[in-house]
Every structure is written in structure tokens, then in C-alpha cells.
Amino acid sequence: MSTRRSRTREGVPDAGAAVELARVDIVRSYRWLRGQDFWLLYGAVSAVGFAFVTVFAYSLGHDTGVALAAGETPWFASGGAATVWSVVWLFTAAVVAVDAVGSNGDLDNDGHYLTLRPTADVAAGKVASAAVKFAGFVVLPALGLALGLSVGLGTPAPVLGAFAAATVTVASATAVGYPVGFLLKGVVRRSSVLTRLKPVLGVGVGVAYVAVMLTGEFTTVVEALRPALRAPPLGWLGELSLATTPGVTPDAVGVAGALVPGVALTGVGVLLAAPTARYAWRADRTVSTGDDAGPTTAPDHSVDRLLGAVTRAPATRGVASTALLRVYRSPLQLVFVAFPLLAAIPVGERVLASGTVPWYAPWLAVWYGAWAAGAALPLNPLGNHGSALTSLLTAPADGRHAVHGYVAATAVVAVPVTLTVAVLLAWLSGATTLATASVGVAAAGAVLAASVLAVGVGSLFPRFEAVDFAGSRRAVPPSKVAYGAFSTVLTATVVSVAAVQNALASEVVAVLVSRTLPFGWVVDASSVESAAWVVLVAVALALPLAYQMAVVRLRDYRLS
């Protein structure tokens, strides 16, 4: 009898145990998040974005409610709701699947949970935890939509239908998405090729998603899929969301079709989570994902030869080679400088649409190249070394060698790339030969100046706490103070160079500054140019101070 019961329990989760496991997972996630300022910032940005979505949903609901109260049949009530809720369901299922493929779909404590509870209980706990975590992204906009309908119609009745649709959407989409994610995780873990390509594939999916959103192609995709989105069974969610809205005659088949299959799909998905989780968790990892992964030699002998050509002291070359090797072995460090690249997507779309390069594109390349060069390597010269910091502080190399090494490591990579991209964009934008050459000089000078400035600021405001990315993957970003001070000074410098070199840039800056000044004050282009020269002189005087401060700081720093 006990054997029979254990076999049955292996596939059917215990509800109480699953809820308790979900509660523990949520509490642990909250505690982890409190100590991760990078993810807190990302969460704050995401919250702002979803706040706008909620406001838009309220506006859509209000306009729909007003139209219904006037006896009209608005778009949302005549099929638009089906499209919207279908998109929300598919988006939620996709996000949950990605969450399962990532570290959130892994076992805690090296799988010791499975020695205490059956796989079905642990998998169901993961599904329930994910449903709670992602519920706000669906429920809050849905309530905003319902509130708009209620205000427009003068009755709270629409809230019931919207809340029911949101609940069914979250539950069923999570129950479907997590088994799919578990299945994909198992496939990836059983393939050495997919395991090595997993970070690349993840970045590719993320870039594609952002590109579709920022370029407006998302609406094109939705329009192409509109017939399928409005069809059952996904289209029934629209009927359920408007079931309690006055002025709309709900389809009884659609309402029942959303509720009954939605509940059934949720149950089936929770049951399928057990075998798919077992398939993922019992897979033998083909490669290590720990911090010791990666080569133990320099990334390229030609880099060593190039460093030897630009550095004389072996200590300087050693610091530079080590810095490049760390980035090569731990490219997650580059994530912290990748976000501004999202702004290049609309610019690229404009270039493709118009066939011309705007005049400001070269200066954006100069700014980003210098900023990324400084933020990626020298902006945290003490924190980047981790446990090897004591070796640096006790080595024969002094602070001057360390500063020179960081500047050399940054220059050999960032100067050629930034100069090439900036000059190419200047040439494509139709700039004169002299202006193109000026952009090239500014690109090289900006990268070198940014490196010196970054190592000075970073040595004064170090950071040693790492940020968790996935599993054992961790990286140490620069401190927020260092980021802010360095970014502000560098941006002012690049804008000043552009204003001095390009008359159109000084005029644009004058217009933008005038819009922010109180009491109707205005500035002209000549004033902007004069202020730009003041900034450049101040930066020129500050660079030697930053250099000397970095030398002293790296030479005299002591561990407490």
C-alpha cells in the first residue's frame, strides 16, 4: 500500500507543500533582491514602464466605457479585447518560460530538496512562486483597465470580469510556460554546443525583443497575427474580461471556454511540471558554469605583443594583460555598459528608413566609446581584482604601473574601435574632410581622457560587492557614485567638444539649455561655445589631478 501511494504521489503534488515551498522561494528572492542594487535599479525602471502601461490601460478603459455609455460599439468591445488578452497571455507564457530556463528554474541547495520532497512538490512550488512573482505585471494593468471602464460607465461591475481574466491568464500561462522552460533547460544541459551558446542566445533574444519594441514593429507582428489572436481558445479571454461590463453582451460559450479550459490547462500544466522538471534537473551538465570556467592563458598572443609595443615596464604590461584577461574570461562585466546601446536602435531604424546618417551620430559614437571604455575596465580598479587584490597591493608594481596598465588595456581595444566607428559615421553623414579628421582626433582623445578620469574616480569610490546574474555567475560593477560622477563629467566633455567643433551642435545645445532655464532666460550659440571652452579647460586641469590621485590611492590603499 505504501509503495502504491508513493508512486501516485510522485506525479501529483501536495498542495500544502507546494504552497510552503513557493512561500520560501518568494521570501528568499525578496531577501536576495534587497542586496542587489543593480537588479533593484532594473526593477525600478521596469516598474516605471509598467506604470505607463497601467495608465494607458486606464485611458483605453475610460474611452471604451464612455463610448459604451453613449450607446456606441468601440474597438475594444468589438474584438479588441480578444487581441489584447491573447497578446498578454502569450507574453506571460514566454517570460515565464525564460524564467524557468534561467537560474530561477534551478534547484536550491544543490538539489537537497529532492531528498525531502518529491519532484512534483518542488516543481509545483516553482510554478506557484512564478505565478505570484509575475502576477503584478498582469493584474495591475488589468485593474487599471477595469477602473477606466468603471469610471466611464459609472459602475464597478467591470472589475469582476477583468480580475477573472487576469487570474486565468496568470495561472494558465504560468502553468504552460514553466514546463516549456523546464523542457528547454533539459535540452540545453544535454548539449555542449547549446550550453556554450546559451549566453549568446539569451542576449540575442533580449536584443531582438527590445528592437521590436523600440522600432514599433511589435504592432506589425500583432496585426499579422490578429486573426489567430481573436480565435478561440485565446480569444475567449476577451469575452471573460468583458463578461460583467454593462453595454456588452458576452458570449456564454466564450466565457465558459475561458474559465473551464483555463482551469483545466492550469491543472495539466502543474502535472506536466514534474516530468519536465525531472528531465531538466537530472541532466548532467556538459560544461562548468562556475567562476573557474574559461581559459587560463592570455586571450591572444597578438594582444600581448601589442601591449609590449605601447608599454615599457613589465609591471605595466602585467596589469594591462590581467585586466584584459579578466574581461575575456568574465564578459558579464560588459553588461554594465551595454544598456546605452538600446538608444542606438531608433537611430539605426532612422538611418535605414532615410538612407542618411544624422550629423550627431559620430558624436554619439565618440561619447559611447569613451564612456564604455572607462566604465568597463578602469572605473573600479580595486574592486575588479576580487580576491587577488592583496596580490596587487603587495606586488612590486606601484600605483603608477597600475594606472598605466589600466589605461593601456583600455586604449588598445577601445581607441581603434571608437575611432573607426566615429570616422565612418562622420564620413557617411557627409562631413567635410577636416570635420571627419576632427571627429577621429576627438574619439582617440576622449577614450584616453576617459580612461584616466575613470581610474581616478574609481579608485576614490571603489566597490567590492558582486552582483548575481545566474547561478554562480557574478560580476562586480563600479559604485553608483563612481558611475554618476564619471558619466556626468564625460558627457559634459564630449558635448563641449562637439559644441566647439560643430556650429550646429552649439545651436542645438543652446536651444535645449534655454528650454530648461527659468524666468524665460535664453542662451545663444556663442555663449554655449564659451561655456564649452571653460569645461574643456577645467577637464584638462582635472585630468592630471585624477591621474595623481589614482596613483596615490592604488599605491597607499590598505585593506581594513
mmCIF file of all heavy atoms in Angstrom, residues 247-275:
data_model
loop_
_atom_site.group_PDB
_atom_site.id
_atom_site.type_symbol
_atom_site.label_atom_id
_atom_site.label_comp_id
_atom_site.label_asym_id
_atom_site.label_seq_id
_atom_site.Cartn_x
_atom_site.Cartn_y
_atom_site.Cartn_z
ATOM 1 N N GLY A 247 -23.418 47.077 -21.221
ATOM 2 C CA GLY A 247 -23.350 47.526 -22.603
ATOM 3 C C GLY A 247 -22.710 46.524 -23.525
ATOM 4 O O GLY A 247 -22.681 46.726 -24.746
ATOM 5 N N VAL A 248 -22.146 45.464 -22.984
ATOM 6 C CA VAL A 248 -21.538 44.400 -23.786
ATOM 7 C C VAL A 248 -22.294 43.108 -23.523
ATOM 8 O O VAL A 248 -22.504 42.730 -22.371
ATOM 9 C CB VAL A 248 -20.047 44.209 -23.434
ATOM 10 C CG1 VAL A 248 -19.449 43.068 -24.242
ATOM 11 C CG2 VAL A 248 -19.271 45.499 -23.675
ATOM 12 N N THR A 249 -22.702 42.449 -24.597
ATOM 13 C CA THR A 249 -23.398 41.172 -24.457
ATOM 14 C C THR A 249 -22.377 40.049 -24.581
ATOM 15 O O THR A 249 -21.893 39.735 -25.675
ATOM 16 C CB THR A 249 -24.470 41.009 -25.557
ATOM 17 O OG1 THR A 249 -25.391 42.106 -25.482
ATOM 18 C CG2 THR A 249 -25.228 39.697 -25.370
ATOM 19 N N PRO A 250 -21.995 39.451 -23.466
ATOM 20 C CA PRO A 250 -20.945 38.428 -23.527
ATOM 21 C C PRO A 250 -21.439 37.146 -24.170
ATOM 22 O O PRO A 250 -22.619 36.785 -24.070
ATOM 23 C CB PRO A 250 -20.596 38.207 -22.049
ATOM 24 C CG PRO A 250 -21.840 38.553 -21.308
ATOM 25 C CD PRO A 250 -22.498 39.663 -22.105
ATOM 26 N N ASP A 251 -20.530 36.464 -24.845
ATOM 27 C CA ASP A 251 -20.820 35.166 -25.434
ATOM 28 C C ASP A 251 -20.662 34.116 -24.335
ATOM 29 O O ASP A 251 -19.565 33.928 -23.796
ATOM 30 C CB ASP A 251 -19.849 34.897 -26.577
ATOM 31 C CG ASP A 251 -20.146 33.585 -27.279
ATOM 32 O OD1 ASP A 251 -21.122 32.915 -26.907
ATOM 33 O OD2 ASP A 251 -19.382 33.221 -28.202
ATOM 34 N N ALA A 252 -21.735 33.450 -23.987
ATOM 35 C CA ALA A 252 -21.696 32.465 -22.895
ATOM 36 C C ALA A 252 -20.681 31.364 -23.186
ATOM 37 O O ALA A 252 -19.979 30.887 -22.287
ATOM 38 C CB ALA A 252 -23.080 31.869 -22.672
ATOM 39 N N VAL A 253 -20.595 30.965 -24.460
ATOM 40 C CA VAL A 253 -19.625 29.929 -24.834
ATOM 41 C C VAL A 253 -18.205 30.438 -24.612
ATOM 42 O O VAL A 253 -17.328 29.720 -24.123
ATOM 43 C CB VAL A 253 -19.828 29.506 -26.301
ATOM 44 C CG1 VAL A 253 -18.743 28.529 -26.733
ATOM 45 C CG2 VAL A 253 -21.212 28.889 -26.493
ATOM 46 N N GLY A 254 -17.974 31.693 -24.951
ATOM 47 C CA GLY A 254 -16.653 32.262 -24.772
ATOM 48 C C GLY A 254 -16.259 32.383 -23.311
ATOM 49 O O GLY A 254 -15.125 32.091 -22.928
ATOM 50 N N VAL A 255 -17.209 32.817 -22.480
ATOM 51 C CA VAL A 255 -16.923 32.951 -21.049
ATOM 52 C C VAL A 255 -16.621 31.581 -20.441
ATOM 53 O O VAL A 255 -15.628 31.407 -19.710
ATOM 54 C CB VAL A 255 -18.103 33.619 -20.320
ATOM 55 C CG1 VAL A 255 -17.876 33.618 -18.816
ATOM 56 C CG2 VAL A 255 -18.297 35.039 -20.832
ATOM 57 N N ALA A 256 -17.487 30.591 -20.751
ATOM 58 C CA ALA A 256 -17.242 29.239 -20.239
ATOM 59 C C ALA A 256 -15.959 28.658 -20.825
ATOM 60 O O ALA A 256 -15.212 27.946 -20.143
ATOM 61 C CB ALA A 256 -18.437 28.342 -20.558
ATOM 62 N N GLY A 257 -15.684 28.992 -22.089
ATOM 63 C CA GLY A 257 -14.477 28.483 -22.737
ATOM 64 C C GLY A 257 -13.205 29.047 -22.136
ATOM 65 O O GLY A 257 -12.155 28.409 -22.177
ATOM 66 N N ALA A 258 -13.283 30.244 -21.598
ATOM 67 C CA ALA A 258 -12.114 30.811 -20.928
ATOM 68 C C ALA A 258 -11.926 30.226 -19.547
ATOM 69 O O ALA A 258 -10.791 29.964 -19.119
ATOM 70 C CB ALA A 258 -12.247 32.330 -20.857
ATOM 71 N N LEU A 259 -13.033 30.010 -18.826
ATOM 72 C CA LEU A 259 -12.938 29.522 -17.449
ATOM 73 C C LEU A 259 -12.595 28.036 -17.380
ATOM 74 O O LEU A 259 -11.608 27.640 -16.736
ATOM 75 C CB LEU A 259 -14.255 29.787 -16.716
ATOM 76 C CG LEU A 259 -14.535 31.240 -16.337
ATOM 77 C CD1 LEU A 259 -15.946 31.378 -15.784
ATOM 78 C CD2 LEU A 259 -13.523 31.727 -15.309
ATOM 79 N N VAL A 260 -13.397 27.196 -18.034
ATOM 80 C CA VAL A 260 -13.220 25.746 -17.899
ATOM 81 C C VAL A 260 -11.889 25.275 -18.494
ATOM 82 O O VAL A 260 -11.082 24.635 -17.803
ATOM 83 C CB VAL A 260 -14.415 24.998 -18.522
ATOM 84 C CG1 VAL A 260 -14.191 23.489 -18.426
ATOM 85 C CG2 VAL A 260 -15.709 25.393 -17.814
ATOM 86 N N PRO A 261 -11.591 25.576 -19.773
ATOM 87 C CA PRO A 261 -10.279 25.149 -20.294
ATOM 88 C C PRO A 261 -9.113 25.821 -19.580
ATOM 89 O O PRO A 261 -8.046 25.231 -19.447
ATOM 90 C CB PRO A 261 -10.332 25.560 -21.763
ATOM 91 C CG PRO A 261 -11.772 25.662 -22.086
ATOM 92 C CD PRO A 261 -12.410 26.168 -20.835
ATOM 93 N N GLY A 262 -9.326 27.058 -19.098
ATOM 94 C CA GLY A 262 -8.240 27.730 -18.384
ATOM 95 C C GLY A 262 -7.874 27.004 -17.109
ATOM 96 O O GLY A 262 -6.700 26.786 -16.805
ATOM 97 N N VAL A 263 -8.892 26.606 -16.343
ATOM 98 C CA VAL A 263 -8.647 25.853 -15.111
ATOM 99 C C VAL A 263 -8.049 24.486 -15.426
ATOM 100 O O VAL A 263 -7.100 24.022 -14.760
ATOM 101 C CB VAL A 263 -9.947 25.711 -14.305
ATOM 102 C CG1 VAL A 263 -9.743 24.799 -13.103
ATOM 103 C CG2 VAL A 263 -10.448 27.080 -13.857
ATOM 104 N N ALA A 264 -8.587 23.839 -16.461
ATOM 105 C CA ALA A 264 -8.064 22.518 -16.838
ATOM 106 C C ALA A 264 -6.614 22.616 -17.320
ATOM 107 O O ALA A 264 -5.772 21.774 -16.974
ATOM 108 C CB ALA A 264 -8.941 21.906 -17.932
ATOM 109 N N LEU A 265 -6.322 23.634 -18.111
ATOM 110 C CA LEU A 265 -4.961 23.812 -18.612
ATOM 111 C C LEU A 265 -3.983 24.079 -17.472
ATOM 112 O O LEU A 265 -2.838 23.610 -17.492
ATOM 113 C CB LEU A 265 -4.930 24.965 -19.615
ATOM 114 C CG LEU A 265 -3.617 25.185 -20.374
ATOM 115 C CD1 LEU A 265 -3.288 23.970 -21.221
ATOM 116 C CD2 LEU A 265 -3.726 26.425 -21.262
ATOM 117 N N THR A 266 -4.441 24.804 -16.475
ATOM 118 C CA THR A 266 -3.593 25.061 -15.300
ATOM 119 C C THR A 266 -3.260 23.768 -14.584
ATOM 120 O O THR A 266 -2.101 23.510 -14.218
ATOM 121 C CB THR A 266 -4.291 26.039 -14.352
ATOM 122 O OG1 THR A 266 -4.572 27.262 -15.030
ATOM 123 C CG2 THR A 266 -3.411 26.319 -13.140
ATOM 124 N N GLY A 267 -4.274 22.932 -14.385
ATOM 125 C CA GLY A 267 -4.033 21.657 -13.711
ATOM 126 C C GLY A 267 -3.105 20.745 -14.491
ATOM 127 O O GLY A 267 -2.183 20.135 -13.930
ATOM 128 N N VAL A 268 -3.323 20.674 -15.799
ATOM 129 C CA VAL A 268 -2.466 19.818 -16.629
ATOM 130 C C VAL A 268 -1.033 20.338 -16.644
ATOM 131 O O VAL A 268 -0.069 19.572 -16.576
ATOM 132 C CB VAL A 268 -3.032 19.744 -18.063
ATOM 133 C CG1 VAL A 268 -2.052 19.028 -18.990
ATOM 134 C CG2 VAL A 268 -4.372 19.038 -18.069
ATOM 135 N N GLY A 269 -0.892 21.669 -16.695
ATOM 136 C CA GLY A 269 0.449 22.246 -16.701
ATOM 137 C C GLY A 269 1.204 21.964 -15.416
ATOM 138 O O GLY A 269 2.407 21.660 -15.437
ATOM 139 N N VAL A 270 0.505 22.042 -14.272
ATOM 140 C CA VAL A 270 1.164 21.739 -12.989
ATOM 141 C C VAL A 270 1.594 20.281 -12.947
ATOM 142 O O VAL A 270 2.678 19.948 -12.453
ATOM 143 C CB VAL A 270 0.214 22.076 -11.821
ATOM 144 C CG1 VAL A 270 0.800 21.584 -10.503
ATOM 145 C CG2 VAL A 270 -0.041 23.571 -11.757
ATOM 146 N N LEU A 271 0.759 19.372 -13.478
ATOM 147 C CA LEU A 271 1.138 17.961 -13.521
ATOM 148 C C LEU A 271 2.323 17.721 -14.448
ATOM 149 O O LEU A 271 3.211 16.911 -14.151
ATOM 150 C CB LEU A 271 -0.061 17.110 -13.956
ATOM 151 C CG LEU A 271 -1.253 17.055 -13.006
ATOM 152 C CD1 LEU A 271 -2.376 16.222 -13.598
ATOM 153 C CD2 LEU A 271 -0.831 16.483 -11.651
ATOM 154 N N LEU A 272 2.349 18.433 -15.582
ATOM 155 C CA LEU A 272 3.465 18.268 -16.522
ATOM 156 C C LEU A 272 4.752 18.889 -16.003
ATOM 157 O O LEU A 272 5.843 18.569 -16.508
ATOM 158 C CB LEU A 272 3.101 18.891 -17.872
ATOM 159 C CG LEU A 272 2.057 18.159 -18.705
ATOM 160 C CD1 LEU A 272 1.754 18.936 -19.979
ATOM 161 C CD2 LEU A 272 2.539 16.746 -19.050
ATOM 162 N N ALA A 273 4.644 19.786 -15.031
ATOM 163 C CA ALA A 273 5.853 20.416 -14.492
ATOM 164 C C ALA A 273 6.767 19.381 -13.843
ATOM 165 O O ALA A 273 7.992 19.529 -13.851
ATOM 166 C CB ALA A 273 5.476 21.499 -13.478
ATOM 167 N N ALA A 274 6.186 18.319 -13.268
ATOM 168 C CA ALA A 274 7.000 17.312 -12.579
ATOM 169 C C ALA A 274 7.920 16.550 -13.540
ATOM 170 O O ALA A 274 9.138 16.511 -13.333
ATOM 171 C CB ALA A 274 6.108 16.356 -11.795
ATOM 172 N N PRO A 275 7.397 15.922 -14.611
ATOM 173 C CA PRO A 275 8.322 15.185 -15.501
ATOM 174 C C PRO A 275 9.292 16.100 -16.243
ATOM 175 O O PRO A 275 10.448 15.719 -16.456
ATOM 176 C CB PRO A 275 7.370 14.465 -16.474
ATOM 177 C CG PRO A 275 6.087 15.217 -16.405
ATOM 178 C CD PRO A 275 5.992 15.738 -15.014
#
